[in-house]
Amino acid sequence: MDIILLTTVIASLFVVIGAAEPLAARLRLPYSVILAVLGILIGVGAVFFLRTPLTDALNPVAEAILGLPIRSNVFLYVFLPTLLFQATLGMNLRRMLDDWVPILVLAVVAVVVATLGVGYALSWASGLPLAVCLLVGAIVSTTDPSAVVSIFRSMSAPRRLARIIEGESLLNDAAAIALFGLFMGFVMLGLPNPDLGEAVARFPVLILGGAFSGWLAARVAVRIMALFGRHELAQLSVSVALPYLAYIGAEQIVGASGVIAVVAAGLTLNLTAPGRLPPQAWINMRELWDVLAHWAGALIFILAALLIPRLLEEVRLGDIALIGVVVMAALAARSVILFGLLPLLTAFGLSPAVDRPYRVAILWGGLRGAVTLALALAVTESLRVPTEVQRLVGILATGFTLFTLIVQGTTLRLVIHRLGLDRLSPIDEALSRQVVAVALQTVREDLARSTEKYDLSHDIVRSEAKRFGERLEEAVRSAEASAEILDRDRITLGLIALAGHERDAILLQMRERTISARMADQVLSEADRLIEGTRSAGRNGYQRAARRSVAYGRAFRAAGLLHGRLGIPGPLARMTADRFELLLAQHLILRDLGMFIDGRIRRIHGRRVADLLHELLARRTEMVETALEGLRLQYPGYAEELERRFIRRTALRLEEREYSVMREDGLIGAEVYTALMQDLNLRRAKAEARPRLDIAVQGMALVRQFPLFSDLDEATLKRLLGALKTRYVDAGEVVIRRDTAARSVFFIASGAVELETAGQTWRLGRGEMFGQMAILTRKPRRAEARAIAPTTLMVLNDDRFRRLLGRSDLLHAAVMASAEKRGIAPSELLSGS
């Protein structure tokens, strides 16, 4: 094919891609539907002009379109890795991990149910070999969530629901393509009825091998990109190579699933790259992949749609009936997942509750597209697949895809409207009216100042002011008519707005580089949890999410066990440093939220709601400061280093701003500006590096801070440090229970603990101990200890404690004072000891 003609055709397709997006917006149809329709029209037009006797002038163009080198390997090795890789980079993985159970279960089970449902239904209706029918089932079980997700976002559906759909669809595609490769092998080997047990046994090998290949490739790529330092274009180039090398390596070398490898590589890069690359490089990388994926997704739809006339050339009347069987079986399988499995997961607390209208929308919005057509094309091109099987697979997959795009895609918004999902709730409707009234009042004040400043014509100003005043009066009347919003709902809406402003402040700090990209991702995830928790459970949801943000999770406890039991400090040091930086970032952000409450929320929701939000914010700030203070006490030197790092980052940002202003004002030229920025970037690279946390050294500093140990010599302190074990507990967690054997004494390094015994309650704080009475009296514990804040405890077993008691007069005196306070005779303690 002539290169000039080929280039012209490809360039023209990009023009079509550019026109498709505004056309889809104008027609209010999913973008993928418009692309598919345009691709079909182009293909039909090319066939028409090539065969019509009316003219031969367009024959070269028609031949070029129909002769494009479109093969299944182009889709599978060029376009597919791009789409999958970009999808993983665009995900908020920390939020995805919160819902990994419903995502994984829905993805894997949905693929299996769809494959088996379509396969057995088709085998019953057609008499085709089971292997062929299962192959068709795997092909049509891939879903394209873009249509339903875009509509959900436009109508403010729950973010968690959209996130689950995106994650489920990504893993759905990966699992379906892995199953496709499995059943394709059976068909090519001529096995009509494969052993499903063998297939299921091989499936984990494909998944795990692909996951390991992708993880390894991404780790190597991140190391290479980190070595390139400030050479951003080199880093972008490595990222472009990564998904293709991971795909090919898994398929050709390991013999595993290349799709799973690409997904694993993208997820690994998403988790590790923000902490290893400059923030702007990471942002630019994601923007580059957004563009590449947009082009790849559009081209794969158009080029696949060009093949539809060719794939349907030999369609028969009986084939249409089989397409109907596939459609009904696929919808039934999807219904089983949405109306059977999803409520079951919700009942066990593993998935959020999804209202029935949303489930109907997800069912009808499960469009199929380019991936389905690409897999069908791979079957039609295989010389080892019988001709009749090629024809049937091509027709069934293509017919099913056309049904989802043309029938479901064009009616999806109508279904959304009929379900009432595109209308605001009464609370949101009332709030919107009040927001308009408040906004217009602010605009009127600013407009009055502007007209005075520019000395405009008095008559024009008066005319426009009268017109604006009428609109403002109407907005105020409308707001007063909807003033029946309950305070409970106002608090919820105010907390959502507060968390949203917090999120915006984090993004601003990230752009100004006062918060690292890696930590900004974690802080953003916490802000998202606040928003979603408030939406689902109001004030209580906000407070639960706030407590979770400062709590010690399971991973932290596991890292503590690795350090305490096995002597592996790395994970605990890394997670403690992350926690330190996270709390410091939250502390800085929370300090500015009070002004937002007074400046915005008070004007919309009133003084009473604003005062309550101030109270909730004060509690949250206190929780963060308590947790941060505990770390400061535990690691005092490290806290100072992090604060110095923050100040240096802020100074660099202000210095960069001054250079930019001087350049814009013409005070310095481009050469001077470039030299200044090069020097600034060198200093910024040093400031970006996070100081290393040495747990052992900090542990000794912590032990020295305990007043109870101040009279011990250096050698005894070192032995004590080796004997003490660190334990992290969350607020509300029970440390010791009544009537249990006493084996340890606890020293509070940070946080607070509440003791309850015989109807009396004591609160203990940093530097105090508990649990010693039961050991010295040799009786079961009579008290229950519960943490009332995130607490760090130093734990000493009973033998070491008895020995230490004989060496420390201060510790002995503290024990006696504690016994006297609780009414225990000294003779009872002495006999116990």
Side-chain angles (χ1 to χ4, degrees), residues 658-670 672:
E658 288 298 314
Y659 293 156
S660 299
V661 170
M662 290 180 182
R663 184 187 180 189
E664 292 171 0
D665 293 343
L667 298 176
I668 58 175
V672 175

Side-chain angles (χ1 to χ4, degrees), residues 122 277-278 289 463 589 641 813:
L122 190 59
L277 303 180
W289 276 101
S463 173
I589 295 295
E641 289 298 321

Side-chain angles (χ1 to χ4, degrees), residues 21 38 51 103 193 247 341 362 368 415 468 502 541 563 603 607 676 689 724 805:
E21 189 171 2
L38 291 176
R51 296 181 179 178
I103 289 173
N193 297 299
Y247 189 96
L341 180 60
I362 295 170
R368 270 65 166 183
V415 171
F468 190 85
E502 180 178 342
H563 175 55
R603 300 187 64 182
R607 179 187 299 274
L676 292 173
L724 286 168
L805 190 61

Side-chain angles (χ1 to χ4, degrees), residues 775-779 802 816 825-833:
I775 288 178
L776 296 178
T777 59
R778 293 181 178 175
K779 294 180 180 179
R802 291 174 187 278
M816 292 301 171
S827 59
E828 189 175 351
L829 292 181
L830 293 175
S831 63
S833 61

